[in-house]
Amino acid sequence: MNNPVRFFIADIHLGENEPAAHHFDITAGFLSFLKQLPNGCELYILGDLFDYWVGDDVDSTLHKQISDALNELSSKQIKKFFVHGNRDFLIGKDYAKRCDMTLLGDINCLVNQDKNIVFLHGDLLCIDDHQYQKFRKIMHKKWLQKLFLFLPLFIRLKIATKLRKESSQHNQIKSETIMDVNPQAVIDMMIENNANIMVHGHTHKPATHHLTINGESVTRIVLGAWHDGISYIKQEENSTTLKLYSQSFK
C-alpha cells in the first residue's frame, strides 16, 4: 500500500438558511472541519455538498465562501474530489475550477491492496425507489440540463423550490425499505468493481455493515448527513482499513 490519508464525506447540505433550520451553523462546522485536515491528504466529497444547486453562475456569498475554503486547501497540498449527489448534480466545471477540485463520475474505485474501494453518492443503489430512479434518469439527460441552465435564474430557483417540496412530500409516504439501498444492488456493484469495501452516503443512515460475498468478508460503510454533526470516514496512510467517525457540532 502507498496511499495518503484519505477522508470521505457526504450529505453536508449547505444552504443559506441552515442555522435557523437546524439550530446550529453547518457551514461553520464544515469550514472548521476543512481547516483541521492534515497536509497532503485527499478529500472525497460524495455528493450533496449543497442542499440544492441551480447553476455555476449563482455567485452567492455561501458559494464563494465554500469555493475559497476548498481552494485554500491546495496550499496544503490537499487534493479534492467531488462525486455529484442528487441535490447538486448540476455543479459544473466552472465551480469545480474555483474550488480547485476534480469532478468524478458516478461510480469510482481506489486500489486497496489486491481489491478496490468503490465509492459513490449512493442513490444508484436505491433501485427499489422506482419513482426516484425514473426522475433521476430524466434529470441526468444532458440536453435537459443544458436547457434548464439556459433559463433565467429566478425561474430555475422556482423550479428547484417546487421539486424539493414535492420530493419531501413523496418521501414522507415512502417506506424506509424503498428509500434504502437494495442488498443485491450492493453485491452486484461490489463484484463488478472487484471491491471489498464500499463507501456511500445519500441514505442518512451512518453505519458499518459487514457482509459475505462469494465466501469473502466485505464491508459497506455509510456516511451520515451533517444535520446532527460531522460525519466522515478516514483511511490512514498506507492502511487498507477505513473507519467511520461522528462528531457533534460544538
Side-chain angles (χ1 to χ4, degrees), residues 78-90:
I78 296 175
K79 295 181 180 179
K80 296 133 289 178
F81 304 89
F82 182 80
V83 178
H84 290 103
N86 57 294
R87 289 176 177 261
D88 53 15
F89 58 87
L90 288 174

Side-chain angles (χ1 to χ4, degrees), residues 140-169:
H140 278 70
K141 292 182 182 296
K142 295 300 180 184
W143 67 267
L144 186 59
Q145 292 182 2
K146 288 182 179 179
L147 179 62
F148 177 80
L149 293 172
F150 186 72
L151 296 171
L153 178 57
F154 78 95
I155 295 179
R156 280 181 271 155
L157 289 169
K158 280 188 176 181
I159 293 173
T161 300
K162 183 174 183 292
L163 289 175
R164 288 168 65 209
K165 184 178 180 180
E166 290 179 352
S167 175
S168 179
Q169 291 173 343

